[in-house]
Every structure is written in C-alpha cells, then in structure tokens.
C-alpha cells in the first residue's frame, strides 16, 4: 500500500474542467449594479483582461491549459496524493483517508493554481500591474509569486487583522517583489470611507476587494501602469483553474484502484473546495453515489445560515451583484485566525450546487478545527493552515460517523495549505486564548437588511 501516489510530469492534466457545462440548473447571471440587468463582457473590461472574461462566461466543458502555464505548474505539480495511514491508525475507524497535498507549492497553498494562469493571461493581454486583496495572505503571496514569474508589478491590500497576525505572509510577498499594505488603507476612497466610520476596523475581504478594484479602475487616471484586478476565489475562472487539483486526484486514485465515498474541502470563497470537488461533482451529476462536503466556520456561516440572494462581492458596492449565499456585503466577520474563510459571500457556482442539494454545507467551531489540526500534525506530521483545519475537523467527524454506522468509507480531503507561517494562531490556541463563536441569528438578520431591496434570484 503506497503512502504517496505520484503522477509523472507528462501525466499532468492538459485541460481545466468547467462545471458550468454540466450543472442541472445553470448559474444565474451577475447583474450590473446600475441597470440591474445581466452584465456583459464589456462591463467587466475595466476590471479584468478580456481573455479571463471569456473564461468567466464560458460554457465549454474543457478549456486548454496554455503551455506557458504548464511550464510554471511543473515547478510543483503534479502534487502528491497521500494515504493518511497514521491518522487512520490513530482514529481506529473503518476508513481509508486520502489527501491531496497542495502545500507543496512555492507559496505553500493551492492558490498558485490560479495565480499563475491569471498572471499569464494578464501578461499576454498587455497588462503591466495587478491589484488584489488577500485575507490570510495565501492568495497575496501566491499572486506575488506568479507576478514575479511573468514580470508583472503586484499591489496587495491585506485585511488588517491578518496583516498584523501574519507578518511572514507579508514578507513572502515582499520577497517576490510585491507591495503589501493593510486594508482598510488611506490610499483609496473606499478605505478612507471605512476608516472614517471605524478607525479601528479589523478589515474584511469585502473591504479589501473594494480597495483593489478601485486601484485597478483608477490606475490610468492616477498615472499608474496599466492595471487590472485579480481575485483569488469566488469567480468562475478561478474555480476553473483550481480543478487541476481534482483532475489529478482522479488519476492518482485510479492508479490504486480506488474512488472516494466522500470528498471534503474547506470553503471561504470556494476555490480550493471547488478545485478538488468539481471533477467529482461531475461524476455525481452523472449518477455516481458520493457525498461532497464544503466546510466553513461557525463564526462566518455563509452557506449554512446565510441567504441565497443577489449581493455585492465587496463592501463598497463596486462589483456586479452575484447570485450567491451571503451574510450581507456590510458584514464584518469576527477576527478568527482562519482569515481566508472570513468572507461574507460564497462562489455562485458552489452556491447553486448547494441549492440543488449536490453539495452539503457544514459549519464547525474554531476550537474543534484547531484540535483537528493538532491531531493531524501529531499523526501525519504536517502542520495545516487554520483554514485547512476546518476540512480536517469534518474529516474526523465523518470517520467517527462511519465507525458508528459500521460502514467502510473512503474519504478524500483537500489539504489546501501548510500552516508554517500561521504558528501564532497555534500559540494562541495552546495558550487558551481562542474561543468558539456562533454567529447569532440576530446579527445575520441585521446584516441582511442591507440587501433587502436587491433583485432576488430564482430559488427553484
């Protein structure tokens, strides 16, 4: 029984998988914030290069991965698939556990899977500079790495609480040549507006997105190099690029003659979860019996307690209205250490599949996630990112459930990144400084008042 299952470099997938081609109910269109009508490609042109916009709206099932992107992918891909034999032994449950190790990338997470193609497509479109946001810093460091690979300038607005909690992520960005500042900042109208209302704002991904989008669309007027915005999750083309994870996993599992009963990933905006899960969602839509679980924090329960509605992707209402699960674009989550999961919305593709009952959403409390991460580190050895610990908590839940039911199960989990620059979070956990936080319904109801007047998506 191999512990690590590898693919040869010539076995790397040559195409990404687009779930939009196979969804039983298509994703409903984003709406223009001014007209409330579906946005067209030209509406998005000031924000993204047209080659990425074409991917965003594509209905093609398979999209070729450019050779230039494959060349960069080969720095760390194909990533290994592991059999978690030591955790299996520790748990003593009737389960086989596989995990896709996305922590082997230069940035230490799954994020370069889309950062590399996004930087590439911007480069070939003639863009000189990219502005973006980052929560825990995984995305910012990945884009900094990718921009460095393609000779682009990068500006990163990092959520203030994470900027202060995770200085080494900022230093990674600096090492790859990017500029990183805390958000909300005084450099944009959006940031100044937030600070005028709350000078001590911890920031949020929604606020940081507003600042980065404003940076991009005002770049020419401000005399900066030609700039476009880049997002590390939520959007269709981002999830598309991440499917290289699940496509590799399917090939690796086939090598050992196995197939999962359950696929699990943590979900903040949905990218790593979707990247691992969507190729298996395709199988489920085709009739395969498989459970697919997206895991989020109880402090930011977008899918499990939020509303499926049209809402802005950012706080200051600069983006199109997206049909997604949301807690309201003005919602500022608690400053938990899983900064990548502190987002008010969820990817529209993931949201639609949750609505259709194809994906199960589950929320877990912070202390359970850190207990799972420590269990993982003391069995499998690797120290997980706090976000990844959410997936591990659900994995352990499912293993015990299999034991209670007396059923043998095979579980695949996406190990989305390492936590070697998140050790301050583990220190806080060991010192008893962390606590659970269940977002009360009253807070959700209050936050959702901000979207009551927006158009409503179809629910059936």
């Amino acid at each position: 029984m191999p512990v690590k299952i590898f693919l040869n470099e010539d076995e790397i997938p040559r195409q990404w998988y687009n779930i939009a081609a196979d969804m039983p109910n298509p994703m409903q269109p984003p709406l223009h914030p001014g007209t409330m009508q579906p946005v067209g490609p030209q509406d998005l042109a000031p924000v993204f290069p047209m080659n990425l916009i074409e991917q965003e709206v594509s209905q093609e099932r398979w999209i070729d991965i450019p050779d230039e992107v494959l060349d960069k992918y080969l720095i760390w891909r194909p990533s290994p698939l592991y059999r978690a034999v030591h955790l299996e032994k520790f748990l003593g449950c009737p389960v086989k556990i596989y995990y896709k190790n996305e922590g082997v990338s230069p940035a230490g997470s799954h994020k370069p899977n889309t950062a590399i193609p996004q930087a590439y497509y911007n480069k070939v479109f003639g863009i000189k500079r990219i502005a973006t946001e980052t929560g825990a810093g995984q995305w910012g460091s990945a884009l900094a790495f990718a921009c460095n690979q393609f000779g682009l300038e990068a500006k990163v607005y990092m959520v203030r609480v994470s900027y202060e909690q995770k200085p080494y992520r900022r230093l990674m960005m600096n090492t790859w040549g990017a500029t990183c500042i805390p958000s909300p900042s005084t450099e944009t109208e959006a940031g100044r507006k937030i600070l005028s209302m709350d000078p001590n704002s911890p920031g949020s991904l929604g606020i940081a997105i507003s600042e980065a989008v404003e940076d991009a669309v005002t770049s020419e007027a401000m005399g900066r190099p030609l700039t476009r915005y880049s997002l590390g999750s939520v959007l269709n083309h981002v999830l598309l690029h991440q499917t290289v994870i699940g496509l590799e996993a399917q090939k690796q599992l086939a090598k050992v003659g196995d197939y999962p009963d359950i696929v699990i990933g943590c979900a903040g905006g949905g990218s790593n979860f979707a990247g691992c899960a969507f190729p298996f969602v395709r199988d489920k839509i085709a009739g395969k019996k498989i459970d697919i679980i997206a895991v989020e924090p109880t402090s930011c329960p977008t899918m499990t307690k939020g509303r499926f509605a049209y809402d802005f992707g950012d706080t200051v209402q600069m983006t199109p209205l997206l049909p997604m699960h949301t807690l309201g674009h003005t919602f500022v989550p608690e400053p938990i250490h899983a900064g990548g999961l502190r987002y008010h919305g969820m990817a529209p593709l993931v949201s639609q599949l949750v609505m259709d009952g194809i994906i199960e959403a589950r929320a877990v409390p912070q202390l359970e996630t850190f207990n799972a991460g420590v269990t993982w580190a003391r069995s499998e050895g690797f120290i997980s990112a706090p976000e990844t610990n959410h997936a591990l908590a659900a994995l352990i839940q499912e293993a015990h459930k299999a034991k209670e039911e007396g059923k043998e199960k095979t579980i695949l989990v996406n190990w989305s990144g390492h936590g070697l620059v998140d050790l301050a979070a583990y220190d806080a956990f060991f010192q008893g400084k962390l606590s659970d936080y269940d977002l009360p319904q009253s807070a959700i109801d209050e936050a959702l008042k901000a979207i009551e007047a927006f158009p409503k998506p179809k629910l059936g």
Side-chain angles (χ1 to χ4, degrees), residues 52-347:
L52 284 174
I53 294 172
E54 290 169 355
Q55 290 188 354
E56 183 68 18
V57 300
S58 174
Q59 297 296 308
E60 295 293 322
R61 181 172 290 110
W62 299 101
I63 294 178
D64 291 342
I65 303 175
D67 288 343
E68 294 85 347
V69 171
L70 286 170
D71 286 345
K72 303 299 184 185
Y73 272 178
L74 290 177
I75 295 174
W76 75 96
R77 305 207 72 86
S79 69
L81 181 74
Y82 279 71
R83 176 84 180 267
V85 292
H86 305 291
L87 181 65
E88 290 175 10
K89 183 178 180 180
F90 174 81
L91 294 174
C93 299
V95 292
K96 289 188 288 185
I97 299 170
Y98 294 93
Y99 66 98
K100 191 71 168 144
N101 187 344
E102 292 298 306
V104 297
S105 77
S109 78
H110 66 291
K111 292 294 189 183
N113 297 332
T114 184
I116 286 290
Q118 289 197 52
Y120 165 76
Y121 286 114
N122 273 279
K123 175 77 172 183
V124 300
F125 198 72
I127 305 302
K128 306 298 183 186
R129 177 179 178 272
I130 295 179
T132 194
E133 80 298 322
T134 192
Q138 288 186 343
W139 169 243
S141 54
L143 191 71
F145 156 67
C147 284
N148 174 257
Q149 289 291 309
F150 288 103
L152 299 174
E153 185 180 339
K155 176 70 172 287
V156 183
Y157 294 84
M158 186 172 187
V159 176
R160 180 175 298 276
V161 64
S162 294
Y163 184 91
E164 294 168 353
Q165 288 174 340
K166 304 174 190 299
Y168 296 114
R169 284 286 178 193
R170 170 173 55 81
L171 290 168
M172 290 169 69
M173 296 178 222
N174 295 155
T175 302
W176 280 308
T179 301
C180 175
I181 64 170
S183 169
S185 77
T186 58
E187 294 193 13
T188 67
E189 285 294 331
R192 290 190 289 272
K193 179 180 178 181
I194 297 296
L195 289 172
S196 69
M197 295 185 291
D198 180 7
N200 298 313
S201 171
S204 70
L205 278 170
I207 296 170
I209 290 171
S210 294
E211 291 207 90
V213 171
E214 180 184 327
D215 181 307
V217 300
T218 62
S219 60
E220 290 185 77
M222 299 296 288
R224 293 189 289 263
L226 186 59
T227 303
R228 288 294 182 269
Y229 169 66
S230 177
L231 186 62
S233 192
V234 178
L235 297 176
N236 301 353
H237 66 272
V238 179
L239 277 53
L240 169 81
H241 300 153
Q242 292 290 354
T243 59
V244 69
I245 302 171
L247 294 169
E248 284 184 3
Q250 287 184 323
K251 286 187 174 185
Q252 289 161 312
L253 286 166
K255 284 196 170 190
V256 293
D258 219 336
Y259 190 89
D261 300 292
I262 305 167
V263 175
I264 299 171
C266 64
S271 72
N272 99 80
F273 163 75
C276 184
F278 276 4
F280 295 94
V281 170
R282 181 185 183 221
D283 292 349
K284 183 170 184 174
I285 292 170
K288 199 85 171 181
K289 185 173 172 51
I290 179 171
D291 295 326
I292 299 171
I293 304 171
V295 191
E296 63 184 8
T298 55
S299 60
C300 192
T302 310
M303 294 177 288
T304 50
K305 290 187 176 180
R307 184 182 300 167
F308 181 66
Y310 271 111
D311 194 9
F312 289 99
D314 71 317
T315 301
V316 189
Q317 307 183 15
M318 300 185 70
T319 70
L321 289 154
L322 301 174
M324 62 182 180
H325 285 88
T326 179
L327 294 167
H329 59 275
T330 60
F331 174 71
V332 178
E334 286 293 295
I336 60 172
H337 277 277
L341 307 186
R342 294 179 67 248
Y343 183 58
H344 70 272
M346 179 51 60

Side-chain angles (χ1 to χ4, degrees), residues 4-19:
K4 296 187 293 294
I5 306 159
F6 292 104
L7 295 177
N8 297 321
E9 290 188 355
D10 60 4
E11 294 177 293
I12 192 171
R14 301 283 170 160
Q15 295 176 310
W16 294 300
Y17 169 60
N18 184 6
I19 190 74

